[in-house]
Amino acid sequence: MAPLIGRRLRKGAATTAVAAAAMAALTASQAPGFAHSDQGDRNREQRAGEAPAPDDTPIDGGSSYHTDLPPLVTPDKPGSSIDLPGLPGSGSTKAEAGIPASVLDAYKKAEAALKESNPGCNLPWQLLAAIGKVESGQARGGNVEADGTTVSPILGPVLNGDGFALIKDTDGGAYDGDSTHDRAVGPMQFIPSTWASWGRDGNGDGEKDPNNVYDAALAAGNYLCADGRDLSVKADLDRAILGYNHSQEYLNTVLSWFEYYKRGTHEVPDGTGVLPSGDGSGGSGSGDKGKGSGKGGGNGKDTGKGPENAHTLPKPDDEPDTSTPTPPAGEHGGTPGTGTPTPKPPTTPPSTPSGTSKLTTVGAKELSAIAGTGFAQSPRVKAVDAAGKPVASARVRYEILGETDARFRGLVKSATMLTGNDGTATAPKLLAGEKTGTFTVRATAVGREAAPVEFTATVKARPVPRADALARLGDKELTAQTGASFADALTVTATSKGKATADVPVTATMITSAKDPELNDKGPYFLDDKGKPVRTLTALKTNALGQLTLPKILTDDHAGTFLLRLTAEGGAVLDIELTVTQAQAPAS
């Protein structure tokens, strides 16, 4: 079915004015998660509006995006429009609230996946929908195949430095068909080099395809949740969106759609979604994303050039940027080129619970785990008011402090959880890394002056596996001539109480005799890492099957019967005879 062409909005200054009015109206309505901010960490609040440093790989190189705004009415609720001068009517409201079925399913599946892998992020699928709307018009009206792959490629402009970032080809044209420069690809507009770091398999087909809405949505969700962000906190929400595109207008546009979708949506068949203004192809693959709707004042591209204007992404292990955002430039500090100041939304008090006055520890305050395993217990606290009564729905932020590679489930260092009706909040599963030692987990009541609670966590070294028996695989006599090597490999199995045991340390030594196990200075030998002859090898370990195959054994010019002793951690000992015969002299 051909995509429907929906409401059109004027671009440039008119669009900016509409955006400002929309933001003010939505803020005044005190829509959840929009006007309210989390005041628990004032430094985080001051960082609202910042983006990651521009020296990282950008998402789409600063390509243009769609600046259409949602109708200022509550979807599916007639008569609830917000009456503001100059705004379009509500005739297209029903259509704008519709999200194509596969696209909607992809967003919800990404939300569910992140809820499992990174619960502290609190990713709402409506945020993915808002970004998907702005980046590609919901995959150009849901013009996708049954598996979620776009019928035709959705390509951004060529990133050749002409109005956009200059990004030379990184994928040989595999994704974007351009072997000279990169182009943003797919419904969430990733450039190939960024996809290499953030790509995910969202539909379980074993592939990571930026043209697939399931893969792209999950990848975008993982990016938005990077650096331990909690998207229920306004500062983190702003940082995540601005990290996708470092533009105040982009932030305003995405937040407008985010609030709109949170008020209600409905599913429509694939291919029937409303297309943004200037995009009537429904997936032509022309690469003219957001024609006439760019962030540079309506010309379809940035006013600046080069990577400093690119959408920037931190790599998965990057630390958060703490720089102060640059306000939009303009004659009066508003949108560039319009001479119109951007209205500031009215401030509102923080939405944090008013009764929390104290956090108390629930359960053990000292936790321990073996390296590479999960902690049996998770940090847990209880929020109480001045009278000692539990406080429900209070925000508690858990942070991992100190030199450690331990992480919460989802491989994050911080997470914000809500207390239940009993006032308790449990941190996500705590996973020990390979680094041993002690670190701290701090629990803080977000938005309150209550003293934090700290837990001591210790990661202990893995116990060294032990074996009570060693046995050779096979019973073939091991023979070789002088000046040669043993042709047959020597493999042994280490067991503990009859079970094969992995990672058991084993030492191999050429000895003089079983009764006089001194190091033999002649006969068979090994080669060390530098190729020098040695008659003792340490640092050997059994594999996952409990087996160990020794390196090649060579011989010198001494013939006779020699003894190789294998000693395993735990006391197991095995002696193996090695027979060396004199090599025949060459016939004259």
Side-chain angles (χ1 to χ4, degrees), residues 121 123 127-128 131 219-226 229 231 240-241 244:
C121 173
L123 171 74
L127 178 59
L128 294 174
I131 292 175
N222 274 272
Y223 160 67
L224 294 167
C225 289
R229 296 188 188 111
L231 300 181
I241 298 172
Y244 217 99

Side-chain angles (χ1 to χ4, degrees), residues 236-520:
D236 279 3
L237 176 64
D238 285 356
R239 289 187 67 225
I241 298 172
L242 285 165
Y244 217 99
N245 184 311
H246 199 181
S247 160
Q248 188 65 35
E249 183 182 352
Y250 182 88
L251 174 65
N252 293 349
T253 306
V254 170
L255 284 177
S256 295
W257 283 107
F258 180 40
E259 292 305 317
Y260 179 76
Y261 287 140
K262 285 200 298 184
R263 294 182 176 196
T265 60
H266 60 273
E267 178 184 304
V268 299
D270 289 343
T272 65
V274 175
L275 295 177
S277 299
D279 186 351
S281 65
S284 67
S286 67
D288 197 5
K289 181 182 62 153
K291 289 181 282 186
S293 60
K295 49 187 170 289
N299 63 357
K301 58 186 177 182
D302 277 337
T303 55
K305 297 182 179 181
E308 65 272 16
N309 292 306
H311 300 191
T312 57
L313 272 174
K315 296 179 179 63
D317 293 330
D318 282 351
E319 292 297 322
D321 184 2
T322 57
S323 60
T324 302
T326 302
E331 183 180 352
H332 301 291
T335 303
T338 65
T340 303
T342 302
K344 295 183 179 180
T347 57
T348 57
S351 59
T352 53
S354 59
T356 306
S357 63
K358 184 179 181 181
L359 290 180
T360 60
T361 304
V362 177
K365 200 168 183 177
E366 295 185 357
L367 314 171
S368 65
I370 302 298
T373 67
F375 283 75
Q377 294 177 295
S378 294
R380 191 181 186 194
V381 297
K382 184 175 183 179
V384 296
D385 60 18
K389 295 181 178 180
V391 178
S393 299
R395 296 186 186 278
V396 176
R397 185 171 184 80
Y398 289 97
E399 297 177 278
I400 296 175
L401 308 175
E403 294 295 326
T404 180
D405 57 356
R407 294 291 185 269
F408 292 119
R409 184 176 59 184
L411 303 182
V412 296
K413 295 183 68 174
S414 62
T416 300
M417 315 300 288
L418 293 179
T419 58
N421 292 332
D422 62 353
T424 62
T426 304
K429 179 78 171 177
L430 188 58
L431 306 174
E434 295 300 327
K435 184 179 180 63
T436 59
T438 300
F439 62 95
T440 299
V441 178
R442 177 179 294 166
T444 306
V446 177
R448 305 298 299 175
E449 298 300 329
V453 171
E454 293 187 346
F455 298 80
T456 299
T458 302
V459 178
K460 301 178 181 179
R462 299 172 187 263
V464 178
R466 301 166 66 86
D468 54 28
L470 285 171
R472 181 187 166 196
L473 291 182
D475 56 3
K476 184 177 179 181
E477 183 179 357
L478 297 174
T479 61
Q481 292 184 339
T482 55
S485 63
F486 288 84
D488 298 312
L490 175 57
T491 301
V492 297
T493 300
T495 57
S496 177
K497 297 181 179 179
K499 293 184 179 180
T501 307
D503 298 322
V504 176
V506 177
T507 299
T509 306
M510 300 295 177
I511 61 175
T512 53
S513 69
K515 292 183 179 179
D516 184 22
E518 298 293 329
L519 180 66
N520 204 335

Side-chain angles (χ1 to χ4, degrees), residues 192-247:
S193 59
T194 303
W195 184 257
S197 297
W198 291 95
R200 298 291 188 273
D201 176 15
N203 62 353
D205 64 356
E207 298 182 3
K208 300 175 182 179
D209 184 1
N211 295 293
N212 183 280
V213 68
Y214 289 95
D215 295 357
L218 184 58
N222 274 272
Y223 160 67
L224 294 167
C225 289
D227 296 330
R229 296 188 188 111
D230 175 5
L231 300 181
S232 67
V233 176
K234 182 61 165 61
D236 279 3
L237 176 64
D238 285 356
R239 289 187 67 225
I241 298 172
L242 285 165
Y244 217 99
N245 184 311
H246 199 181
S247 160

Side-chain angles (χ1 to χ4, degrees), residues 536-560:
T536 297
L537 283 181
T538 58
L540 302 173
K541 284 188 177 182
T542 58
N543 62 18
L545 300 177
Q547 297 176 356
L548 169 65
T549 299
L550 269 69
K552 180 179 290 189
I553 303 174
L554 300 93
T555 62
D556 58 12
D557 57 357
H558 293 84

